[in-house]
């Protein structure tokens, strides 16, 4: 049996500001923006090439906005991903090279924290 993470709820304080950040600055794909009913709006984004998406909106999460830390996304090139973020106006850390990978960190306007990891080359 396979278990796949498909969706992570992301707590945000301003849905439209978060949409602008993830679409225009982070470069994620907007999959859905649907108002189900009063008090329930479902917005879903997917990072480029990812099988897992994020969701936020109204009535989606009880977590405090900005409290989600440690979302990690694997990228082919940490330095290239950092440059893309910087070019889009996102503040991103320098590349942090570790034996287990190279990392770049950034946060959304609420403070939800992301890590981008370039996996190390495996010696076969």
């Amino acid at each position: 049996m396979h278990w796949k993470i498909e969706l992570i709820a992301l707590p945000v304080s301003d849905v439209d500001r978060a949409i602008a950040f993830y679409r225009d600055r982070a470069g994620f794909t907007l999959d859905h923006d649907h108002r189900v009913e009063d008090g329930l709006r479902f917005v879903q984004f997917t990072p480029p090439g990812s099988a897992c998406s994020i969701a936020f909106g109204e009535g989606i999460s009880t977590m405090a906005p900005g409290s989600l830390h440690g979302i990690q996304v694997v990228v082919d090139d940490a330095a290239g991903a950092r440059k893309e973020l910087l070019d889009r106006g996102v503040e991103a850390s320098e590349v942090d090279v570790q034996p287990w990978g190279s990392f770049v960190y950034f946060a959304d306007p609420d403070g939800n924290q992301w890590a981008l990891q370039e996996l190390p080359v495996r010696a076969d």
Side-chain angles (χ1 to χ4, degrees):
M1 175 180 297
H2 296 282
W3 294 31
K4 298 178 184 178
I5 296 173
E6 296 280 334
L7 189 70
I8 296 171
L10 191 74
V12 301
S13 61
D14 182 322
V15 176
D16 293 320
R17 179 180 70 177
I19 288 172
F21 176 82
Y22 284 102
R23 181 191 58 215
D24 302 333
R25 297 181 72 203
F28 290 16
T29 300
L30 176 60
D31 302 313
H32 303 285
D33 181 358
H34 185 73
R35 178 164 298 284
V36 179
E37 58 191 38
D38 283 345
L40 184 57
R41 179 179 178 189
F42 180 80
V43 178
Q44 180 176 321
F45 274 91
T46 304
S50 180
C52 183
S53 301
I54 59 170
F56 55 84
E58 297 169 18
I60 300 296
S61 175
T62 58
M63 292 182 285
S67 64
L68 192 55
H69 299 176
I71 302 171
Q72 188 162 309
V73 178
V74 173
V75 295
D76 293 330
D77 175 8
R82 178 180 185 272
K83 181 179 181 330
E84 244 183 71
L85 289 172
L86 293 173
D87 288 349
R88 291 174 166 276
V90 176
E91 290 184 29
S93 72
E94 296 290 332
V95 177
D96 176 18
V97 179
Q98 300 294 328
W100 52 89
S102 297
F103 296 85
V104 172
Y105 304 97
F106 73 96
D108 72 10
D110 281 299
N112 294 301
Q113 296 178 7
W114 292 78
L116 306 179
Q117 178 188 21
E118 176 185 338
L119 296 172
V121 176
R122 291 184 176 173
D124 292 330

